[in-house]
Amino acid sequence: MPEAIYSEKFRIVGNDYEHGGEVATYVKKVLKEFGLTADVVRRLSIANFEAEMNVVMYARAAEFDLEVFLDSVRIVIADEGPGIPDIDLAMQEGYSTATAEMRQRGFGAGLGLPNIKRNTDELQISSVPGKGTTLRYAVFFNR
Ligand SMILES: Nc1ncnc2c1ncn2[C@@H]1O[C@H](COP(=O)(O)OP(=O)(O)O)[C@@H](O)[C@H]1O
Ligand SMILES: [Mg+2]
């Protein structure tokens, strides 16, 4: 793969609802500055927000890696957490293990992972029970 023209790393902290969503908001600003189309920015921002909030809700912490290429944006989010025991089940619309408290905050519709899938051109999820989960996704353009 060619080298990224831009890359930046962020930390996401589990249970930190106060700052939850800030990485997605910042990355949206960066992507706009690169002149990417509104549609590409929108699709990535939806995916980034859903993935970030999943770390806040379900994991201890994560590293969020942004890489911008001439033809794509690639995101890798590697968390330390419980992992996802059944990824096919977690991908189903409406499936959620959100607690009552999370639901009170407006989360837990079970649409986050399906929305990431719908808004990206490539998605890979790998997970090790008791260790954590890694999401990799990409959106392509100029094709
Ligand atoms: N990073 C993660 N670590 C552990 N479990 C996760 C993670 N992301 C998602 N999950 C699991 O997958 C389920 C579905 O996620 P999602 O589609 O985003 O819906 P929601 O966040 O509304 O529950 C979650 O309820 C949770 O059980
Ligand atoms: Mg979610």
Side-chain angles (χ1 to χ4, degrees):
M1 195 176 321
E3 220 175 295
I5 57 173
Y6 182 79
S7 66
E8 192 167 356
K9 293 184 193 301
F10 309 89
R11 187 90 178 150
I12 304 167
V13 178
N15 212 34
D16 187 357
Y17 287 91
E18 194 187 332
H19 298 286
E22 286 181 359
V23 173
T25 300
Y26 175 83
V27 168
K28 185 178 196 169
K29 194 189 80 171
V30 171
L31 296 176
K32 278 184 186 166
E33 283 168 3
F34 271 99
L36 301 183
T37 64
D39 185 60
V40 165
V41 173
R42 181 187 61 78
R43 288 166 62 204
L44 281 161
S45 297
I46 291 168
N48 292 343
F49 179 74
E50 293 293 350
E52 181 176 7
M53 291 316 299
N54 279 353
V55 172
V56 172
M57 289 193 281
Y58 304 113
R60 279 188 299 279
E63 186 179 280
F64 181 116
D65 292 355
L66 162 69
E67 286 189 305
V68 181
F69 295 85
L70 288 173
D71 68 345
S72 57
V73 173
R74 292 176 179 274
I75 307 288
V76 180
I77 302 168
D79 76 42
E80 305 145 34
I84 301 177
D86 185 337
I87 292 172
D88 288 342
L89 181 61
M91 288 300 301
Q92 288 181 20
E93 291 199 7
Y95 176 81
S96 178
T97 60
T99 62
E101 191 203 328
M102 293 170 189
R103 288 167 199 271
Q104 272 174 1
R105 292 180 186 272
F107 300 105
L111 296 174
L113 292 174
N115 263 328
I116 295 171
K117 174 85 184 163
R118 186 175 312 119
N119 283 286
T120 57
D121 296 313
E122 274 180 18
L123 169 65
Q124 293 171 283
I125 304 176
S126 60
S127 193
V128 180
K131 290 276 184 199
T133 300
T134 298
L135 258 66
R136 297 167 192 278
Y137 50 84
V139 169
F140 294 91
F141 39 88
N142 290 344
R143 281 190 150 183

Short mmCIF file of all heavy atoms in Angstrom, two decimals, residues 50 54 57-58 112-113, ligand 2:
data_model
loop_
_atom_site.label_atom_id
_atom_site.label_comp_id
_atom_site.label_asym_id
_atom_site.label_seq_id
_atom_site.Cartn_x
_atom_site.Cartn_y
_atom_site.Cartn_z
N GLU A 50 -19.86 6.28 15.74
CA GLU A 50 -20.39 5.01 16.26
C GLU A 50 -19.28 4.16 16.89
O GLU A 50 -19.46 3.58 17.97
CB GLU A 50 -21.10 4.22 15.15
CG GLU A 50 -22.36 4.88 14.63
CD GLU A 50 -23.50 4.95 15.64
OE1 GLU A 50 -23.40 4.32 16.71
OE2 GLU A 50 -24.50 5.63 15.37
N ASN A 54 -18.79 3.19 20.86
CA ASN A 54 -18.70 1.80 21.29
C ASN A 54 -17.52 1.58 22.22
O ASN A 54 -17.63 0.82 23.19
CB ASN A 54 -18.63 0.86 20.08
CG ASN A 54 -19.99 0.61 19.48
OD1 ASN A 54 -21.02 1.01 20.02
ND2 ASN A 54 -20.01 -0.07 18.33
N MET A 57 -18.54 3.03 25.59
CA MET A 57 -19.53 2.21 26.29
C MET A 57 -18.99 0.84 26.69
O MET A 57 -19.31 0.35 27.77
CB MET A 57 -20.77 2.03 25.40
CG MET A 57 -21.58 3.30 25.27
SD MET A 57 -23.20 2.99 24.55
CE MET A 57 -22.75 2.89 22.83
N TYR A 58 -18.23 0.20 25.81
CA TYR A 58 -17.97 -1.23 26.03
C TYR A 58 -16.51 -1.57 26.31
O TYR A 58 -16.24 -2.70 26.73
CB TYR A 58 -18.45 -2.03 24.81
CG TYR A 58 -19.90 -1.80 24.50
CD1 TYR A 58 -20.29 -1.14 23.33
CD2 TYR A 58 -20.90 -2.19 25.40
CE1 TYR A 58 -21.63 -0.91 23.06
CE2 TYR A 58 -22.23 -1.95 25.14
CZ TYR A 58 -22.60 -1.31 23.97
OH TYR A 58 -23.92 -1.07 23.70
N GLY A 112 -25.24 0.73 15.66
CA GLY A 112 -23.91 1.30 15.43
C GLY A 112 -23.08 0.51 14.45
O GLY A 112 -22.60 1.05 13.44
N LEU A 113 -22.89 -0.77 14.72
CA LEU A 113 -22.07 -1.59 13.82
C LEU A 113 -22.71 -1.71 12.44
O LEU A 113 -22.01 -1.57 11.43
CB LEU A 113 -21.80 -2.97 14.45
CG LEU A 113 -20.88 -2.96 15.68
CD1 LEU A 113 -20.80 -4.36 16.29
CD2 LEU A 113 -19.48 -2.47 15.34
MG MG B 2 -22.94 1.33 19.31
#
